[in-house]
Amino acid sequence: MKIKRSYCAKFLTAAVCWLAFSAFTGGADHPELNVTVKNTLDFDRSEVVTINTEKLSKLLKVASPDQIRVREVGKTSNLILQWIDHDNDGKPEELLFKPTVQANAIAKYVILVDGTTPLAESNITTYSRFVPERTDDYAWENDKVAFRTYGPDAQMRTEKKMPNGTLSSGIDLWLKRTDLPMINEWYKGYLTDPNYYHKDSGKGYDPYHVGASRGTGGTGVWEGDTLLVSKNFTTYKTIATGPLRTIFELDYAPYSHYEVKEKKRISLDLGSNFSKFEVFYTSSKKLPNYTMGITLHDKKGQENIWKDQGIFIHHETMDNTYLGEAIIVDPKIVTQAFANKSKIRDQSNLLVLTKPNKSAIFYAGFAWVKSGQVKDGNDWENFVKKQKQIIDSPLQIVIK
């Protein structure tokens, strides 16, 4: 059986059809790889894992990515897969799947060639896109949470005192209580009713105010008693969107007398309440710190500052319901953390100062009680502590 033309069109360059080999349908005579996934923590886990395609060369020499399947050993059903092509050259660099592993245990999977059984599909997914229908937001979501931030047109509208402007590099939160994608539906509703996604119709809504604050996960440089921050993002690049992970990049113009220039690579996995921020930054002179923050809104909430653990939590009530936000960062790079409470609107933030090192990785996320993911503040604290363990002890993958 020959490889279908669509396989080459999807994954290969026009010059060379790199995977144009005969397709296999699986079986004892065909190549396969055994994968052991180990969970070293004392609770059950189901998380997205990444395998570099170099480790799959045995299979990819004889089949296209569309013909690869992953199954738990002893099962016949296929798992949801996603291929990631970081440089958009038609050759994926990573394979993602989402194993389930019990506490302090291992689970066994097989990666094989099978051109006959259908790929597993699901309506539950991750998603991100540029949103020109509301000036120029960039929004992202999964089955648990949704976020957005703002682009240059929204900035221009504010600076020229035009309608629908937003001047902010903060991160907005959209409160979901459905595991289905909502971004497209909410923005479609916005076209006929600008308050559409500010009203909870049973699937969630956006009551969260960002303004010039950091939202949850915005960044800056703390100098004296002032947080120096960028304006809106200037350009974007969507790298991946699919059933298991969405990835994109945002670039920002230089800001402050330090001329700080940021590139943020943001990703969100299925099942996670936390976006991962990988920030690469330069400056014209040495920075005193690199800072990330969470808005304190009306300063009536409560903060947990656990510097030694790298956990920073804000608890608040929004429309009479509980909302918990958090930032998780490697405690080794944290120099200081505090709640800066200002009389100036949108300048009150829980700030986490880190050692400047041209790059930073941190996680920012939240949970809303109406989503059913947490019950109260104590539940959120335990949730965040567990997430820190997951970050520190990723599932261990062995391929044979």
Side-chain angles (χ1 to χ4, degrees):
M1 182 174 76
K2 293 183 179 179
I3 290 178
K4 294 180 181 179
R5 185 180 300 274
S6 61
Y7 297 155
C8 293
K10 184 173 182 181
F11 289 104
L12 309 180
T13 63
V16 180
C17 202
W18 123 167
L19 298 172
F21 296 91
S22 297
F24 285 87
T25 58
D29 296 331
H30 301 139
E32 60 182 42
L33 296 170
N34 294 309
V35 180
T36 300
V37 185
K38 183 178 182 181
N39 175 14
T40 61
L41 300 179
D42 60 359
F43 52 86
D44 297 351
R45 299 164 65 181
S46 180
E47 298 152 26
V48 178
V49 297
T50 302
I51 297 178
N52 192 290
T53 52
E54 291 180 357
K55 297 181 179 180
L56 305 177
S57 59
K58 180 179 178 181
L59 305 183
L60 292 175
K61 285 179 180 178
V62 297
S64 81
D66 280 30
Q67 297 167 299
I68 303 299
R69 306 288 185 269
V70 178
R71 297 171 192 154
E72 188 173 359
V73 170
K75 303 276 182 75
T76 57
S77 58
N78 297 321
L79 273 65
I80 298 284
L81 305 181
Q82 184 179 345
W83 297 90
I84 304 292
D85 181 3
H86 286 282
D87 55 10
N88 197 31
D89 68 348
K91 301 176 184 180
E93 292 84 27
E94 293 173 341
L95 171 65
L96 312 180
F97 71 99
K98 193 168 184 276
T100 299
V101 194
Q102 294 182 345
N104 297 308
I106 62 171
K108 295 183 178 181
Y109 295 84
V110 60
I111 306 177
L112 70 159
V113 177
D114 180 349
T116 58
T117 62
L119 288 164
E121 296 181 350
S122 174
N123 291 328
I124 300 172
T125 187
T126 72
Y127 184 62
S128 72
R129 73 173 176 94
F130 179 70
V131 187
E133 57 264 47
R134 202 214 76 90
T135 66
D136 54 353
D137 298 348
Y138 197 98
W140 64 105
E141 68 177 324
N142 65 3
D143 53 324
K144 304 292 185 183
V145 288
F147 305 82
R148 70 168 168 174
T149 193
Y150 312 96
D153 183 71
Q155 176 184 319
M156 179 274 293
R157 289 174 176 271
T158 299
E159 293 173 339
K160 293 188 176 182
K161 303 187 185 314
M162 296 170 61
N164 298 323
T166 305
L167 181 57
S168 177
S169 56
I171 305 299
D172 190 21
L173 309 183
W174 279 16
L175 312 186
K176 290 178 61 170
R177 47 174 165 161
T178 174
D179 56 9
L180 296 174
M182 291 305 304
I183 285 173
N184 287 339
E185 179 180 324
W186 285 351
Y187 278 116
K188 182 179 180 181
Y190 168 84
L191 294 176
T192 54
D193 177 5
N195 288 315
Y196 183 85
Y197 52 70
H198 293 294
K199 299 175 290 187
D200 187 358
S201 61
K203 298 178 182 178
Y205 70 130
D206 174 25
Y208 190 90
H209 172 74
V210 177
S213 78
R214 296 303 77 207
T216 296
T219 58
V221 175
W222 180 255
E223 182 179 61
D225 61 355
T226 303
L227 185 65
L228 310 174
V229 300
S230 72
K231 294 183 179 182
N232 300 23
F233 71 82
T234 56
T235 62
Y236 73 93
K237 177 183 178 183
T238 303
I239 296 171
T241 185
L244 298 177
R245 178 175 295 165
T246 187
I247 311 169
F248 59 95
E249 290 181 347
L250 304 174
D251 287 292
Y252 293 81
Y255 65 91
S256 83
H257 63 97
Y258 292 102
E259 296 183 320
V260 183
K261 191 175 189 304
E262 298 168 308
K263 179 186 288 291
K264 297 180 180 180
R265 174 171 284 208
I266 302 172
S267 59
L268 179 63
D269 283 3
L270 191 74
S272 177
N273 287 63
F274 286 81
S275 291
K276 180 180 181 181
F277 289 75
E278 299 176 85
V279 188
F280 307 92
Y281 56 92
T282 60
S283 60
S284 61
K285 50 187 174 181
K286 185 176 180 180
L287 295 175
N289 55 73
Y290 188 72
T291 297
M292 55 281 310
I294 302 172
T295 181
L296 301 181
H297 282 134
D298 58 6
K299 298 174 283 188
K300 294 180 180 178
Q302 297 180 346
E303 304 85 35
N304 298 122
I305 297 175
W306 297 330
K307 180 174 175 289
D308 291 345
Q309 299 179 55
I311 294 175
F312 308 92
I313 295 175
H314 182 234
H315 306 272
E316 63 179 313
T317 299
M318 189 159 292
D319 290 349
N320 298 315
T321 59
Y322 174 78
L323 177 66
E325 305 104 338
I327 286 174
I328 300 174
V329 64
D330 183 351
K332 293 178 183 177
I333 68 169
V334 177
T335 59
Q336 189 180 1
F338 56 92
N340 178 55
K341 297 184 178 182
S342 173
K343 294 180 181 179
I344 303 173
R345 177 174 167 81
D346 297 335
Q347 293 305 305
S348 295
N349 295 282
L350 170 55
L351 298 175
V352 183
L353 281 59
T354 65
K355 301 173 185 176
N357 192 31
K358 298 185 179 180
S359 66
I361 295 176
F362 63 94
Y363 299 78
F366 68 97
W368 179 41
V369 70
K370 284 191 176 182
S371 70
Q373 297 161 23
V374 295
K375 298 177 182 178
D376 52 29
N378 288 333
D379 204 18
W380 176 234
E381 290 176 8
N382 291 330
F383 191 108
V384 178
K385 290 177 182 177
K386 183 178 287 189
Q387 183 65 37
K388 179 64 164 58
Q389 288 182 273
I390 289 169
I391 293 167
D392 291 344
S393 302
L395 293 171
Q396 298 176 9
I397 310 294
V398 177
I399 301 175
K400 295 181 179 179

